[in-house]
Amino acid sequence: MMMYRRLVLVAVLLSVSAAPAAAARDRAVLIYPRERSLFGRIFYTSHQRVLRTQIAARYDTNVHEQVATREELFAIDVDGAKLLVISGHGDPFSMYLAGRTTRTLDGSDRARLTAFFDRLDPFATIVLQSCETGRGFAHLVKDAAGPTRRVIAARGEIPWDGLRITSLAPFDATIRCRNGRHAWDCTVRLQ
């Protein structure tokens, strides 16, 4: 009987000490656009690999590469994600995932964006790693995302290494834009 009590006590102690390790980590979803160029890559670089490694240290990370259409984007499982990073070319009114000539996301996608963002954690952070989206499109994304989700975007041209993670919990980033030789903090944070 004494041996049985010791085994039960050991089993209880082991399950209690293992509980924090078994707890689920927050989820991050990273979406990268189609990029076919072998030279002059913007989204498939060593800098992006470092960012992915940093994020994976804190989050269970799902990476989706070569996403080119809105259908592919909206089919991605973002359920419960605390961090969503959408990378692509951009302008003040839209994002381009299949190159720089055809819009993938713009104001006509507001309803679909709302439904997509509703699947995220209520306090998720959405990063638009895309030039110029902070001048307009990020505000549409913020409206679609709702009042408790944050949006981080740029109001300028982002070089290939312009995004810097400044905090993993809670997530935050700074975006350095470049206009010729002039570099500046072009981060837009919409709370």
Side-chain angles (χ1 to χ4, degrees), residues 62-188:
N62 300 106
V63 178
H64 300 270
E65 296 182 337
Q66 302 296 337
V67 175
T69 67
R70 62 178 47 96
E71 289 74 23
E72 290 174 302
L73 176 81
F74 292 130
I76 292 172
D77 174 14
V78 297
D79 294 353
K82 196 90 167 188
L83 174 63
L84 173 64
V85 179
I86 304 175
S87 301
H89 297 289
D91 63 37
F93 309 105
S94 59
M95 287 185 73
Y96 302 75
L97 300 181
R100 297 178 192 222
T101 58
T102 305
R103 287 180 172 182
T104 307
L105 297 171
D106 59 23
S108 68
D109 297 302
R110 180 186 295 267
R112 289 182 82 183
L113 285 167
T114 299
F116 187 63
F117 297 144
D118 280 348
R119 295 167 39 206
L120 296 169
D121 181 271
F123 299 97
T125 298
I126 302 164
V127 179
L128 303 177
Q129 188 175 215
S130 181
C131 296
E132 304 290 351
T133 53
R135 295 190 187 276
F137 186 69
H139 295 272
L140 177 124
V141 167
K142 173 61 181 157
D143 287 344
T148 60
R149 295 184 183 97
R150 298 176 59 232
V151 176
I152 299 173
R155 63 180 196 283
E157 187 174 318
I158 309 172
W160 66 274
D161 61 349
L163 182 74
R164 299 275 183 234
I165 296 171
T166 56
S167 173
L168 286 169
F171 185 88
D172 199 16
T174 296
I175 303 173
R176 300 276 303 161
C177 289
R178 194 170 295 135
N179 184 359
R181 291 184 153 185
H182 176 67
W184 51 289
D185 180 352
C186 63
T187 312
V188 172

Side-chain angles (χ1 to χ4, degrees), residues 47-66:
H47 179 71
Q48 290 299 314
R49 285 189 295 278
V50 168
L51 293 175
R52 287 157 84 163
T53 300
Q54 289 175 317
I55 291 169
R58 170 70 174 83
Y59 297 88
D60 284 331
T61 305
N62 300 106
V63 178
H64 300 270
E65 296 182 337
Q66 302 296 337

